[in-house]
Amino acid sequence: MMTDSSSDQDGRDFSYLPTIAWVNILDHLNLNDKYRVSTTCSKLNEAFNHPTLWRKMTLFIMGNMENYGLHSQVMIPAQNIKLVKRFGKYFQNLTFVISGHLNEDFGDWNDLVEEVTKQCRLETLTLYVGIVTSMRHFSGYRSCGRNLIPLVNFVKNAFRLKNLNIISWPMFPRNLQNHDENIFEAAMVNIKLKDLENLSLFWSNTNSWTERQPILLSPNETVVLVNHFSNLKHLALRSPMMDENMLNVLSQRQRSTLQRLRILVNYISNDPDFEIPEISDMAWENFCLKNVGVQVELTIMSRVSLVELSNLLKPACPVYVTKFMAYSRCDGNVVQYLTDKYKKTLTCFESFGEDSCFEKELVNMVEKSPNLLKLVYRGNINCQNVECLAALRSRSWVTFDILRENIYVEENNIENRYDENEVIAKGPDGTYVLVAMLKFHQKEQSRLCKEAREDEMIDNVSSHLGRKWFPTSRKSTKLDTPLIV
């Protein structure tokens, strides 16, 4: 491969590329393709075995799709253990993805985690352990403790870990009451994790949906956990886990300066367990005085009124990033509120609700927020406003993402030009023609004009951004759940 086939028609020989260049290329391939490429020649085999290629790894395990009944389906890919044995010493960022429920013994699971413990010297551990637990799961079997204990022991004995992300974990009361199965206690018992810098608890980075009624740590339990890790720089959690006492803890003098606080607003009306916490402006002011330059990132998961949202969003709250997930509610009033309160700090605004329509307020937000350089908008917007938004930041835009299907061209309604009882009307040239025929030709002309206007908009936006730009197509949107095996 590295002789004839590695040279293109212009005579360039890619065999002289440094190994790290091939490593970067292999990094974009899936595991099977990486292996196939590595068998082609010694140069690519060397790249395949390069430590840099294996710093980040995800191990997938399939559990049961239900936690009741007799059906059992557990699958632990044999390649997992081979990967850990061969490359585990290079792993620095490891993710365990266990889809489904853990109500059956995983068998070789203990051997896999034991091998990880021997080989890996992790700095980052991310856990998607089972489906996010909710009250409806209590009627089924609780998670099998034999599957949890190895991971709990792993956290209990970790010594280089700087980042711990617990995205999902079986929250059955009987599991949490057993010390061998309680990962939160294990993290606090391990004195070597005292310098943990990043802690994420039940955070979700999806754009569409996540469990609406999860079983979470209580605010008091969360405060104890956060208070224990006094060197945190980044903290991510859901709003039901927060209260004003949490901010008071994060404002203590002996703590390290927090750089980012990420809050997933998990609100359910008329449910006291999922109310938005009331936090005073004074608490936010003290929080900012202690943590100079701290940024709050807010993700709205479900429909919540501005009145409820304002319980959390006080003027002193340093909001830098706001994201509205697909099934949340974002309207002009909310956008105007964010503009009025956070125009000096806002750097990123994302709205994934396709039924949204607040383009006027959106343009106003961008005009008045000089630091807003990342924009994602899935709602309705006309071509002129897309061009206006692009021109407001031009080449400074870091992200400019608009959904193609919701961009429209302003046009007159052809149906309303004629009375419904009219059969014959005067055409553009002054002659009388059938109204039905006139409507047909005008609709076709309108369609052609719309396509031409969209092409013009794309060219104008590309000119403003200084790079070729296309609106996002709904078909090209990727799945944002990591739990598919």
Side-chain angles (χ1 to χ4, degrees):
M1 172 189 171
M2 302 307 293
T3 56
D4 296 335
S5 62
S6 61
S7 301
D8 65 7
Q9 294 179 351
D10 295 331
R12 289 175 292 186
D13 188 354
F14 293 107
S15 64
Y16 290 100
L17 282 176
T19 301
I20 195 61
W22 290 112
V23 170
N24 291 333
I25 294 171
L26 291 178
D27 196 36
H28 290 82
L29 303 179
N30 62 43
L31 182 60
N32 290 334
D33 289 340
K34 286 178 186 175
Y35 176 73
R36 292 191 186 99
V37 171
S38 72
T39 61
T40 58
C41 67
S42 59
K43 183 85 171 180
L44 292 179
N45 186 264
E46 179 185 356
F48 180 75
N49 288 276
H50 197 280
T52 304
L53 191 62
W54 304 102
R55 286 186 299 187
K56 186 176 182 179
M57 175 56 59
T58 299
L59 300 178
F60 293 96
I61 298 94
M62 180 178 288
N64 292 305
M65 293 299 103
E66 57 186 32
N67 69 325
Y68 52 87
L70 301 177
H71 179 68
S72 177
Q73 182 184 8
V74 176
M75 185 182 73
I76 302 179
Q79 67 182 17
N80 280 358
I81 295 179
K82 295 180 180 178
L83 283 172
V84 173
K85 285 184 176 180
R86 183 171 177 181
F87 301 110
K89 59 186 176 182
Y90 304 136
F91 295 173
Q92 295 181 17
N93 184 336
L94 179 63
T95 299
F96 278 108
V97 177
I98 306 175
S99 63
H101 296 274
L102 289 73
N103 53 309
E104 295 290 338
D105 192 349
F106 278 10
D108 295 335
W109 171 244
N110 285 0
D111 296 334
L112 174 62
V113 179
E114 183 179 355
E115 193 65 37
V116 172
T117 305
K118 290 179 182 177
Q119 294 285 338
C120 304
R121 300 295 182 265
L122 300 182
E123 294 182 3
T124 300
L125 177 64
T126 303
L127 299 174
Y128 294 86
V129 181
I131 293 174
V132 177
T133 312
S134 64
M135 292 293 292
R136 69 176 183 274
H137 296 130
F138 283 9
S139 60
Y141 301 118
R142 75 172 183 138
S143 292
C144 179
R146 288 188 295 274
N147 299 323
L148 296 176
I149 291 174
L151 281 179
V152 172
N153 288 336
F154 181 78
V155 171
K156 193 179 294 183
N157 298 316
F159 61 90
R160 287 183 58 185
L161 213 58
K162 295 294 183 183
N163 310 294
L164 178 60
N165 308 308
I166 304 174
I167 310 302
S168 62
W169 185 265
M171 295 295 286
F172 296 90
R174 287 176 295 174
N175 289 116
L176 296 179
Q177 291 165 6
N178 187 341
H179 299 295
D180 291 336
E181 301 169 26
N182 191 322
I183 196 168
F184 310 103
E185 289 186 1
M188 289 190 289
V189 166
N190 187 351
I191 60 174
K192 295 178 181 177
L193 294 188
K194 196 68 176 173
D195 293 330
L196 196 71
E197 296 179 356
N198 184 9
L199 178 63
S200 180
L201 302 171
F202 304 104
W203 175 264
S204 175
N205 60 358
T206 65
N207 299 325
S208 54
W209 191 247
T210 182
E211 174 59 49
R212 184 169 179 259
Q213 292 180 290
I215 306 300
L216 304 169
L217 295 175
S218 69
N220 290 337
E221 292 170 328
T222 309
V223 164
V224 172
L225 188 62
V226 171
N227 188 45
H228 177 79
F229 296 109
S230 59
N231 293 307
L232 291 178
K233 295 180 180 178
H234 301 270
L235 175 63
L237 39 71
R238 298 199 182 202
S239 58
M241 305 165 66
M242 281 191 67
D243 58 13
E244 190 162 312
N245 192 29
M246 168 72 72
L247 283 193
N248 294 336
V249 168
L250 293 172
S251 303
Q252 294 174 350
R253 292 183 178 179
Q254 65 271 24
R255 294 185 62 89
S256 296
T257 300
L258 193 71
Q259 296 177 1
R260 175 159 294 203
L261 175 61
R262 307 170 78 187
I263 306 171
L264 176 63
V265 177
N266 192 169
Y267 170 77
I268 302 176
S269 60
N270 302 319
D271 189 334
D273 292 332
F274 292 91
E275 292 179 347
I276 295 181
E278 177 79 41
I279 298 180
S280 68
D281 208 41
M282 180 63 73
W284 283 116
E285 288 179 2
N286 293 335
F287 173 71
C288 293
L289 286 174
K290 167 61 182 70
N291 303 281
V292 178
V294 64
Q295 299 182 3
V296 170
E297 179 178 328
L298 199 72
T299 298
I300 316 298
M301 169 189 159
S302 54
R303 293 179 178 268
V304 52
S305 67
L306 179 57
V307 174
E308 295 290 340
L309 199 57
S310 61
N311 289 338
L312 182 66
L313 293 181
K314 296 298 192 295
C317 178
V319 176
Y320 279 70
V321 177
T322 56
K323 180 169 79 170
F324 291 83
M325 293 168 63
Y327 299 102
S328 62
R329 173 184 293 165
C330 183
D331 55 29
N333 292 331
V334 174
V335 175
Q336 189 61 50
Y337 181 88
L338 294 173
T339 303
D340 294 341
K341 298 294 187 293
Y342 311 114
K343 58 189 175 186
K344 294 182 179 180
T345 60
L346 205 59
T347 62
C348 175
F349 177 82
E350 301 180 1
S351 176
F352 291 89
E354 293 191 20
D355 58 347
S356 303
C357 185
F358 47 82
E359 48 188 308
K360 179 181 177 181
E361 291 81 4
L362 183 62
V363 171
N364 180 58
M365 170 186 277
V366 176
E367 284 179 341
K368 296 184 177 180
S369 307
N371 299 311
L372 182 56
L373 301 178
K374 296 182 180 179
L375 176 66
V376 178
Y377 180 63
R378 294 286 185 266
N380 295 317
I381 187 169
N382 66 47
C383 290
Q384 184 176 355
N385 281 331
V386 174
E387 294 170 338
C388 177
L389 288 170
L392 286 171
R393 293 291 180 277
S394 62
R395 295 172 183 259
S396 298
W397 279 115
V398 176
T399 301
F400 190 74
D401 187 346
I402 308 291
L403 185 65
R404 177 187 290 273
E405 286 80 356
N406 280 352
I407 299 175
Y408 66 92
V409 177
E410 290 184 334
E411 57 185 351
N412 296 324
N413 193 332
I414 297 172
E415 298 296 333
N416 294 335
R417 296 179 191 173
Y418 309 99
D419 188 274
E420 61 179 6
N421 296 320
E422 282 187 277
V423 177
I424 298 177
K426 186 179 291 187
D429 58 356
T431 61
Y432 286 91
V433 295
L434 291 172
V435 169
M437 186 63 68
L438 197 59
K439 287 182 178 181
F440 173 79
H441 287 294
Q442 288 180 340
K443 282 184 178 179
E444 180 63 17
Q445 183 64 32
S446 177
R447 183 186 67 80
L448 295 174
C449 291
K450 182 176 183 294
E451 292 179 355
R453 179 68 181 96
E454 289 177 347
D455 291 340
E456 180 187 20
M457 174 204 67
I458 291 174
D459 290 339
N460 289 338
V461 172
S462 298
S463 177
H464 289 309
L465 300 184
R467 61 182 184 274
K468 191 60 180 176
W469 176 86
F470 293 99
T472 299
S473 173
R474 188 181 290 119
K475 295 179 181 179
S476 66
T477 303
K478 297 180 179 179
L479 292 172
D480 49 24
T481 172
L483 298 182
I484 294 178
V485 179

